[in-house]
Amino acid sequence: MEQMSSVIEKLFVSKTTLLIIIFCTNTLDNILLTSVVPIIPEVLMSSDRNEESTTVGNDSISLGTLSHHMNVSLSFTKQLLQESYKALDENSQVGLLLSSKALVQIAANPCVGYLSERYGYIILLAVGTFLLFISSLVYACAGKFSSFLAGRLVHGIASSFSSIAGMSMLAELYQSDYERSKVMGVAMGGVALGVVVGYPFGGFLYSLCGQSSPFLILSLFIIIDFGLQGCIIKRSYWMPVSSKAANSIVELLKDPLILITSGIIMLTTMAMSTLEPTIPIWILDTMKAQNWQLGLVFLPDSIGYLIGTNAFGVVARKVGRWICSMFCMILVGFCLICIPFSTSVSQLILPHFGIGLGLGIVDAALMPQLALLVDMRHVTSYGTVYAIAQLAVCLAYGLGPLFGGEMVKLLGFSSLMWSLGCLLIVTSPCCFVLRSVKAREECKSLMLDTEDEVLKKSSSPKYTKLYTDNSINGSH
């Protein structure tokens, strides 16, 4: 019994366990993010039909003193007006719902970055997971625009807590730059997996079992994830809150290398955020595709992102993060330029895969570099710098649809893709500025990694205990 207790204790203080939990949290977060997309339009249209039927019925009753022809005429006119504006109303409501999560995250990220340095990352991860559970329950019960909006806003705050806390925790636990390159790619792979699973998960269960079923199932998994985090919080003495005064978000934004790194993340993410609301309509207009094909058009992006984040984190570190980022910006730009020349859905597979792959490699390369920049140039405190990274992603998802929608109206879809592709290619030389990080900071990190590997091979029990304590506590 004591041996079993010891095994369980070691399991819950393992860094690998933390990595698995962060991966699962990211996966659940993005399943919830995408599973609601095929459900919202149907539910809103059904709600509008019910309100229309109720209103028309009330009008007919109130006009009972008038002639039968007057009732029919009024009802028919009202129906025509509602049908005329139905598509516009639905699109505007869905667009607002999809963008509301990014907008609330923009406001929440700086606050979460500040809180993470005061209360610790594991507590904030648990708070984010609990809010994710609340959001899933709201979605399960939602029937109107206002209730979906409330769930979406709570979801935005939950994502801010969980994403910043998760990446900061990995940066704190894995002090080696080589290890960070591996584990952060794995953690971000949960994002891609959630997107891949989310769309069919939500659409299939909604059509088979109704609106509440996908969200109730997700709630069950979120409770399990939250319970595992609770077991870790009880043992959180091995991961103390930093006593050092963290740099403010303004101070970190003054660092040109952090600013350029975040800008590259924002520009590459904007390629995806601009595509999501614009390409389905273009496909329907030009290719006469079936509705089920629209749900699969972004599958190559997710697969490419999953491969990029998991397979290229260490490769980017060896080759040079600035080189990989520059070529990936060119790759994403070239793929965007190629999209308007496609004449069938099958021809979109390759450029979409290239966009997802490029975006995944950029994230896998630059997310660990943000922690490295903080280590070498600022007070070692990761919550604020990853709040900046999430702020860049949210700005991309907030500005991308707005920019894309206006450009489509003014110039058309093809001009939008060509303009955005050229923008990425033209700005790709900015990555050359990050070359100095390779020459100055990463070489120091490589030396430290080599010393650690030599010392780990030592059979000294005294060193073995010291190394274990340092790796767990995240000390240098």
Side-chain angles (χ1 to χ4, degrees), residues 184-257:
M184 288 188 178
V186 172
M188 288 184 291
V191 176
L193 181 61
V195 173
V196 170
V197 173
Y199 289 112
F201 175 80
F204 176 75
L205 285 178
Y206 172 69
S207 61
L208 189 66
C209 306
Q211 173 191 340
S212 300
S213 56
F215 304 115
L216 293 178
I217 294 173
L218 271 176
S219 300
L220 177 61
F221 284 105
I222 294 171
I223 289 174
I224 296 173
D225 185 34
F226 184 75
L228 292 175
Q229 293 175 23
C231 295
I232 293 174
I233 290 175
K234 292 181 179 180
R235 300 161 176 83
S236 60
Y237 58 84
W238 55 272
M239 191 174 169
V241 180
S242 175
S243 60
K244 294 175 286 186
N247 292 103
S248 69
I249 193 170
V250 176
E251 291 174 343
L252 292 182
L253 285 173
K254 291 179 181 178
D255 188 328
L257 296 181

Side-chain angles (χ1 to χ4, degrees), residues 35 66-67 194 198 204 282 329:
S35 63
L66 299 178
S67 66
F204 176 75
W282 178 76
M329 290 184 74

Side-chain angles (χ1 to χ4, degrees), residues 15 173-176 178-179 182 448-471:
K15 293 190 291 185
L173 290 175
Y174 294 87
Q175 291 294 307
S176 165
Y178 176 78
E179 287 185 319
K182 290 194 301 183
L448 291 174
D449 292 347
T450 304
E451 292 175 2
D452 283 347
E453 290 172 2
V454 172
L455 290 172
K456 284 173 69 176
K457 293 178 181 178
S458 172
S459 59
S460 169
K462 180 179 179 181
Y463 172 73
T464 303
K465 185 177 186 303
L466 176 63
Y467 178 80
T468 304
D469 292 341
N470 285 345
S471 64

Side-chain angles (χ1 to χ4, degrees), residues 23 185 188-190 192-193 196 301-311 356 360:
F23 176 88
M188 288 184 291
L193 181 61
V196 170
D301 303 78
S302 302
I303 295 174
Y305 187 85
L306 186 64
I307 294 173
T309 53
N310 282 274

